[in-house]
Amino acid sequence: MWDGVAQDVRQALRSFRRSPWFTFVAVATLGVGIGVNVAVFTIVNAVLFNGFPLVEANDRIVYVDSREGGQFCCVSYPDFRDWRAQAESFEDMGAVADLRVTLEDEGGLPETYSATLVTSGVFPLLRQAPLFGRNFRPRDESPAAPAVAILSHAFWQRRYGASDAILGRTIRLNGEPTTIIGVMPAGFSFPQSQDLWMPLRPTAQVDQRGARGLWFAFGRLAAGATPDSAAAELDAIGRRLAEQYPRTNRGVRPTIHSVQDFFFGSNASAVYGAMLGAVGFVLLIACANLANLLLARAISRSNEVSVRIALGGSRARILRQSLIESLLLSLAGGAVGWWAAGLSVRLYVASASGPAWFERVLDYSMDARVFVYALVVAVATGLLFGALPALRLSRLDIGGMLKQGGRNASGSRRNKKLSSALVAAEAALAIMLLAASGVLLRSFLNVYSADAGVRADHVLTALLRLPATDYPDAAARVSFFSELRDRLAGLAAVESVALADTLPAWGAATHPFELEGAESTDDERRPRVGAVRVSPDYFSTLGAPMQSGRTIQTADGEAGPAAALVNQRFAQMHWPGAEPIGKRLRLWSDGAPGPWLTVVGVAPNIVQNDATRQRFDPLVYTPYRSQTPQAMWVLIKTSGAASALANPFRQELQQIAPGLSIWLGPFDLEQRMAANYRSEGVQSALFLAFAAIALLLAAVGLYAVIAHAVGEQTKEIGVRMALGAGRRDVLSTVFALGMRPLAAGLLLGLAGSFLVNRALASQLVGVSPADPVTLLAAAAALLFAALLGCWIPARRALRVDPVVALREN
């Protein structure tokens, strides 16, 4: 048997050498189809299966945050401590917090780097140890313990040239002497792309139950525990804490997430599943193309096969040889696809095209799971596109073929029906993919082009975080920001300077609130509103003029009755038809009411908490001077390019506070706001690229079928032209060959689009899954491609010489 298989392989290779053009087209088509599948599966494998690199059993780790009223509110250290002590569903739990640090050492100027604060058991929990040096120990968490840090491998190489003498070296982090105790292995990065880790120390400020400053907690499930059982146990603990500490924990519940849900959102599986489905369509179209090519090739070899069977060759041997040819083509296409997928994934990662920083630290290696997937896809593809041609060859009517010398084999009605059915299937798949990519693109454009309520052009922004050691109280922070505003306002080309504790479309902290005169209610039922602390020039800097009343003034945050602004949305919701100016409200925090605030103006609607930018949330604006946080955004309106002001901004900052680094930025606000939607843009672009590939393959497939049919009917066309058929008659005949299966595929594809797009409904913003404009555009694109696919064979048919055609055969 194996000798026969080896012989069939050698014969297939000789056949490929005799038909180099066919072999090239087949392998290239399969390389494209398999390549996009393997590339997307590699990304899906990183997001949905691999998780963080060098972390053992990612699927046994769950992530825990606190939710208040269904909204994310971070984690308090005392809550985490109680979860870890009381929960039995976990082997252990750890907690992390994000931090930016200013590093000073003997090697260079102060620079700001990203750091992560972690509890001492985090690295053992992840089953990872430093490359050299030691892990954090419980005593490192003591606020009185000497400060220590562990460096990432990349940072160790970049900043310290991979020096072995790094252990025990003392650096200054945010002004505090810190000893380097270890370096993590290359490739390890958790839970973000940071430069170093530091122990999470429960200082007096951190160790407050109402201070929810930890990013999240996480735990490794114990043997026999499931995410559902762990969630039930934590929920029970959360309820006990709410009863025990009603002022800080009422309505607060710990919530468990998988790595995919926490970092990529609850629809991650749907998004990446849709991507796999899209490239699956591309592969099916490639298979249909190859099946048609092999069917045409099989027809041309019908006479040869008939003679072989008549001389004693078995039909099983013919079937085996045909399938071996298909498998060899698919394996070659798989090899090309593997190379193309590797290149595509490297470009994807290098361009940082993921939705956020955490996606860039995932494991995108083409591991054993990806290899098995690629191999299975290649073999399945070979069997899929080779099955029909192989069966047709093995079922030839030998007697009829030998009597007619193979002349009518190509004219088999069954073969033509098979070929037309494959073209219809290609068209249906292409139209479904075009329609899906169309609604996703329109959804992205609806989000991207939506009015955010501000003019972000020519605005430079940066986040400054003042060290508590240097600026211990609100008065010191107000003094710093006031001096900085005055210095920046004196720069050439600066039109205005403003401060805010968050940026537009960046989200805002929400607080329970109470309207004066409204019926009192308990904490759990009290409504919530987003609150933003701003300086007087905030709205003018963003080109958003006040609607009525006045804006925040400097004195509002220092003395006299406390003032606030509400936006139009808030006024319409709570005082419809009434004058908001003079009304009073108060915000609650940590279960306690704040002072009554008098509304002095109605601000314009600005997008703050709605990620889709399709609606304006009700907002309250308060003076930043009344409760100045340590971190504030500086917004500078300039008459020129925003980026030109970056260096003057840094220089003025150093004049006021030498050594103080910028926490984030500076960057162009317009570009920063656009970057928030890069994820949706990348997804839309990928789907559009898949649709373009599908459209191209469908057009090429239709061209191949029509070209083959025109070649078969050369004599018939010549006869018709000799009998007086005109140019229009020949064109209508050729175009009819392509349009009939295309019309069937178009109808099937439009019907299928309703089902496919319905599955994408949760990801669409402002566009219906059955959007008629998108469906018509998709149909028009397919028809245009089909017309091009028919036009070249049609021109060939018009050049047929009737005399030459009549002499054939």
Side-chain angles (χ1 to χ4, degrees), residues 224-268:
T226 66
D228 289 340
S229 66
E233 183 181 30
L234 279 182
D235 186 68
I237 295 172
R239 292 180 184 277
R240 288 199 298 270
L241 293 177
E243 293 177 359
Q244 190 174 357
Y245 308 101
R247 191 178 71 84
T248 58
N249 284 60
R250 180 172 295 174
V252 177
R253 295 290 183 270
T255 307
I256 278 184
H257 310 268
S258 66
V259 61
Q260 296 83 17
D261 288 347
F262 187 78
F263 289 102
F264 298 96
S266 57
N267 65 340

Side-chain angles (χ1 to χ4, degrees), residues 138-343:
R139 65 171 178 265
D140 293 326
E141 296 183 27
S142 170
V148 294
I150 296 177
L151 307 183
S152 73
H153 194 275
F155 181 69
W156 171 56
Q157 290 184 318
R158 184 175 69 250
R159 175 89 184 192
Y160 298 107
S163 170
D164 294 336
I166 193 66
L167 288 184
R169 182 169 177 174
T170 298
I171 58 176
R172 298 182 69 85
L173 297 178
N174 290 341
E176 183 178 14
T178 304
T179 302
I180 298 174
I181 61 172
V183 175
M184 295 304 289
F188 178 81
S189 193
F190 180 91
Q192 56 184 318
S193 180
Q194 67 273 291
D195 298 304
L196 53 93
W197 293 265
M198 300 167 65
L200 176 57
R201 298 189 286 184
T203 61
Q205 182 179 6
V206 171
D207 201 12
Q208 297 181 31
R209 198 166 293 273
R212 305 190 183 280
L214 308 188
W215 182 12
F216 64 88
F218 67 100
R220 184 177 291 276
L221 294 173
T226 66
D228 289 340
S229 66
E233 183 181 30
L234 279 182
D235 186 68
I237 295 172
R239 292 180 184 277
R240 288 199 298 270
L241 293 177
E243 293 177 359
Q244 190 174 357
Y245 308 101
R247 191 178 71 84
T248 58
N249 284 60
R250 180 172 295 174
V252 177
R253 295 290 183 270
T255 307
I256 278 184
H257 310 268
S258 66
V259 61
Q260 296 83 17
D261 288 347
F262 187 78
F263 289 102
F264 298 96
S266 57
N267 65 340
S269 297
V271 170
Y272 290 97
M275 288 176 62
L276 270 180
V279 293
F281 279 15
V282 172
L283 185 59
L284 287 174
I285 292 174
C287 287
N289 265 354
L290 265 295
N292 252 329
L293 283 174
L294 285 178
L295 187 61
R297 194 163 181 261
I299 290 170
S300 66
R301 296 169 58 190
S302 297
N303 194 36
E304 170 199 339
V305 173
S306 300
V307 172
R308 289 178 59 189
I309 294 176
L311 293 176
S314 69
R315 294 179 183 269
R317 174 70 183 275
I318 300 299
L319 178 63
R320 186 181 70 190
Q321 181 183 341
S322 182
L323 287 177
I324 284 176
E325 288 187 6
S326 301
L327 286 171
L328 288 176
L329 286 174
S330 66
L331 290 174
V336 173
W338 180 270
W339 171 82
L343 178 62

Side-chain angles (χ1 to χ4, degrees), residues 361-373:
V361 306
L362 297 184
D363 183 4
Y364 290 94
S365 61
M366 298 176 70
D367 56 17
R369 185 186 287 116
V370 177
F371 178 78
V372 170
Y373 175 84

